[in-house]
Amino acid sequence: MPAAPSIPPEFDPARLEAFLRSALPGRAAGNMAIERIGGGQSNPTFFVSYPDAGTRLVLRKKPPGPLLPSAHAVEREYRILRALAGSAVPVPPVLLLHEADDVVGTPFYLMERLEGRVFHDTALPGVTPDERRAMYFAMAETLAALHGFDWQGAGLADFGKPGNYYARQLTRWGRQWRETRTREIPAIDRLIDWLGSNLDETPDTTIVHGDFRLGNLMFAPSEPRIVAVLDWELSTLGHPLSDVAFSCLPWHSTPSMYAGIVGLDREGLGIPTQDEYIARYCAAAGRAEGPGRFHIAFSLFRFAVILDGIAARAKTGNAAAENAVAVGAMAESFAQRAEALVEASR
């Protein structure tokens, strides 16, 4: 996605530059260049570079203004990225976390900028059908690697609460819906009731990414290999099938609904079926079964609430993307998809 034409006025780049000269001696040499990365809906993200020193970094910060408790947790992102370094899950190397507000107005962290391709269109334009199929399967295998990560051995036993994941998630997203909704969407209210009566209460616990989708993966410049999993702000301990179900949303949305693949010539494009994708994940993860109706419906419901939350932030002026209002308007479409899935399976 193209960078925004100018740096937003929420912080002074000169203050950041002075901080980096002290924090990164030798790497922050010469003139600093900074540009905002477009496309993000949550934590503002910037490329920070020092061409004279060959330094290329990425800065992630919290948005300005009032935020929901535990939202936009860049501190958690930094912690999980450090924990996953060197594991089978590819992540960018992190350099530092600054938890005070004195430099850019909010806490932030810095990581290395990697070279690769990020596709916000799940049809993966510009690649061959064989490569496209391999990229979808790489997504499934990388997710399996995440769920196989030894979170206890990595010191992440306090990264979340094991067990009762879906009950807690339904409470969390139901509360967000009640507190921040921008419009009436009866389908969401009905879904909250149905999901509460059909909870998956199995005790499976892994690290979950929370926003695992193609748009948060960076692929190598010229091969279908994932070089980095990005945007970890929703990561926690949770049920692994929540990630799998969320990564299946392209099979339940159209190109106009956050770049889904419903209605496309998926076979001609080389995109595997949802069943093939889930089977690849299950084989890599050693699981007998993938997500069912409840898991997919919950993911559609949760994404509907997230999208409406983007619209709510746009109203207060602290959403990260210029198209936040339009994206928020999709909330009802995702809720209706979830309700249709529930009704069709009865």
Side-chain angles (χ1 to χ4, degrees):
M1 298 291 292
S6 62
I7 301 167
E10 72 223 43
F11 68 88
D12 179 4
R15 181 169 293 182
L16 172 64
E17 186 171 15
F19 171 82
L20 293 180
R21 284 199 198 100
S22 174
L24 300 175
R27 301 202 64 187
N31 293 323
M32 183 187 78
I34 183 168
E35 59 179 346
R36 183 159 184 167
I37 303 172
Q41 295 289 359
S42 188
N43 289 333
T45 306
F46 302 83
F47 288 147
V48 179
S49 59
Y50 289 85
D52 294 341
T55 299
R56 291 158 52 84
L57 309 173
V58 177
L59 182 150
R60 291 264 291 175
K61 68 182 291 293
K62 294 187 179 188
L67 303 173
L68 291 171
S70 79
H72 310 283
V74 294
E75 302 90 346
R76 289 177 63 81
E77 286 191 55
Y78 177 81
R79 183 181 177 191
I80 189 65
L81 288 170
R82 283 196 64 185
L84 289 168
S87 74
V89 183
V91 293
V94 289
L95 298 176
L96 64 85
L97 170 68
H98 189 70
E99 298 184 78
D101 298 341
D102 58 322
V103 177
V104 299
T106 71
F108 72 94
Y109 71 92
L110 282 170
M111 57 186 164
E112 300 281 2
R113 179 178 171 182
L114 302 178
E115 291 299 321
R117 299 171 291 168
V118 176
F119 295 85
H120 295 287
D121 184 344
T122 56
L124 302 176
V127 305
T128 67
D130 286 346
E131 184 179 13
R132 193 173 286 114
R133 185 174 181 84
M135 292 166 86
Y136 267 87
F137 285 150
M139 176 168 66
E141 291 167 354
T142 298
L143 185 54
L146 172 62
H147 294 160
F149 178 71
D150 180 8
W151 51 273
Q152 292 172 309
L156 294 172
D158 63 343
F159 199 63
K161 298 178 181 178
N164 299 317
Y165 175 75
Y166 274 110
R168 289 184 286 106
Q169 283 285 294
L170 185 59
T171 298
R172 172 185 176 178
W173 294 106
R175 181 173 60 247
Q176 176 163 329
W177 169 243
R178 291 188 298 272
E179 292 177 353
T180 68
R181 61 184 170 190
T182 63
R183 73 205 76 194
E184 294 298 322
I185 304 179
I188 290 183
D189 298 314
R190 291 190 293 267
L191 282 166
I192 290 172
D193 292 338
W194 184 88
L195 292 166
S197 299
N198 293 270
L199 285 173
D200 179 344
E201 297 181 300
T202 55
D204 302 35
T205 300
T206 67
I207 293 292
V208 294
H209 181 276
D211 193 13
F212 195 88
R213 54 188 173 87
L214 275 169
N216 281 334
L217 305 178
M218 178 178 284
F219 289 88
S222 59
E223 57 182 305
R225 175 175 56 86
I226 295 171
V227 297
V229 181
L230 309 172
D231 290 8
W232 290 84
E233 70 171 280
L234 295 177
S235 60
T236 188
L237 297 181
H239 199 295
L241 292 184
S242 64
D243 271 344
V244 186
F246 191 74
S247 70
C248 287
L249 291 195
W251 285 277
H252 298 270
S253 56
T254 66
S256 63
M257 291 172 59
Y258 220 82
I261 56 177
V262 170
L264 301 182
D265 178 11
R266 286 169 277 177
E267 183 176 359
L269 288 169
I271 297 174
T273 66
Q274 178 179 282
D275 286 347
E276 289 174 324
Y277 171 77
I278 291 174
R280 180 61 68 97
Y281 165 83
C282 288
R287 291 190 64 94
E289 295 183 357
R293 174 181 60 164
F294 167 83
H295 307 95
I296 300 292
F298 182 89
S299 287
L300 288 162
F301 151 76
R302 190 187 72 139
F303 200 46
V305 176
I306 288 172
L307 291 172
D308 189 71
I310 292 168
R313 294 203 307 278
K315 284 189 172 183
T316 62
N318 69 338
E322 294 177 1
N323 64 338
V325 174
V327 172
M330 288 185 243
E332 188 164 8
S333 296
F334 276 92
Q336 290 170 345
R337 289 271 173 168
E339 194 166 44
L341 176 65
V342 168
E343 293 295 333
S345 302
R346 284 176 175 168

